[in-house]
Amino acid sequence: MTTSHVADDILQALRALEVDQQLAVFWFVYTEMGESITPAAPGASTAAPEIAEGLFAQVKELSQDEQLELQRALITQKDTQISREYAALSDTTKLLFWYLLAQGMNNGTIIPMPAGYELPSDSQDVLEQIKQLSFEDQIALFRDFVSPMGFDSTGGFNSKTASTKSEAAQ
Ligand code: 45D
């Protein structure tokens, strides 16, 4: 189910960025919308907090380098254990998992952004477009962004294809 028709071209532009830039843009948007995200909001019932937290607990134990690799692997749909577990989550639970990662970056349990990191201008453009969306459209965009990430071990062809350029860049 796709709800973000409004933002389809923004989503394509986001996915066309290098994998690290996708992470960086995602982070910068989180810092803007973070305080408005309320895990207890109506509709949160479709998220499975204990499953998102279980997966997050595994990630927390890894080294910072591994944490970064893992996030890149999710975006590029690489076949790893965590990618497989991630792919089995519902879209809303995937969103919750990314939200936990972002919170972890803020409380020191997940590798932080490098100090003084600056987005290249093409990524800056995408970020500006995302910022102009309403909060609801941003959520819909991110739901669609995180949905095809991970590795679907059922072998089903994943037509949602997460990243394009980043796969080639591996
Ligand atoms: O060295 O219905 C770089 C729920 C460069 C509730 C890097 C919800 C190199 C139910 C790659 C930049 C809350 C689930 C390093 C709804 C380098 C419900 C590192 C809504 C170190 C609607 C970059 C949830 C890194 C929402 C580590 C809206 C980047 C959730 C990491 C939104 C970026 C979540 C991360 C968002 C970004 C999460 C982890 C926007 C996460 C963003």
Side-chain angles (χ1 to χ4, degrees), residues 10-167:
I10 302 180
L11 181 60
Q12 296 318 315
L14 176 60
R15 285 179 177 155
L17 301 175
E18 300 285 350
V19 60
D20 278 12
Q21 292 176 34
Q22 293 184 44
L23 275 173
V25 169
F26 202 24
W27 166 254
F28 286 123
V29 181
Y30 168 80
T31 62
E32 303 263 327
M33 72 189 301
E35 280 166 27
S36 315
I37 303 171
T38 45
S45 54
T46 56
E50 64 291 344
I51 296 178
E53 278 156 20
L55 195 59
F56 175 70
Q58 296 183 50
V59 180
K60 228 169 46 172
E61 298 311 315
L62 301 174
S63 71
Q64 291 203 333
D65 284 350
E66 289 170 329
Q67 291 174 344
L68 180 55
E69 274 315 308
L70 172 148
Q71 293 178 64
R72 290 172 171 147
L74 288 176
I75 294 181
T76 56
Q77 298 175 321
K78 234 170 122 184
D79 183 4
T80 67
Q81 183 57 37
I82 300 234
S83 279
R84 286 175 179 242
E85 291 179 36
Y86 175 93
L89 308 178
S90 75
D91 288 353
T92 304
T93 305
K94 289 172 182 167
L95 212 43
L96 184 56
F97 172 70
W98 280 102
Y99 175 67
L100 294 176
L101 285 175
Q103 285 187 317
M105 292 172 74
N106 274 335
N107 68 31
T109 54
I110 299 293
I111 183 173
M113 290 291 289
Y117 182 88
E118 280 182 36
L119 278 177
S121 62
D122 52 341
S123 303
Q124 193 67 49
D125 287 349
V126 176
L127 177 60
E128 289 308 320
Q129 292 179 54
I130 295 172
K131 281 189 192 170
Q132 279 160 27
L133 296 172
S134 68
F135 187 66
E136 287 70 28
D137 284 346
Q138 288 180 344
I139 289 180
L141 172 78
F142 288 131
R143 199 187 297 276
D144 288 348
F145 181 51
V146 303
S147 168
M149 291 179 187
F151 185 82
D152 183 359
S153 61
T154 59
F157 175 65
N158 194 340
S159 59
K160 289 183 280 190
T161 303
S163 75
T164 47
K165 196 164 170 183
S166 46
E167 259 167 355

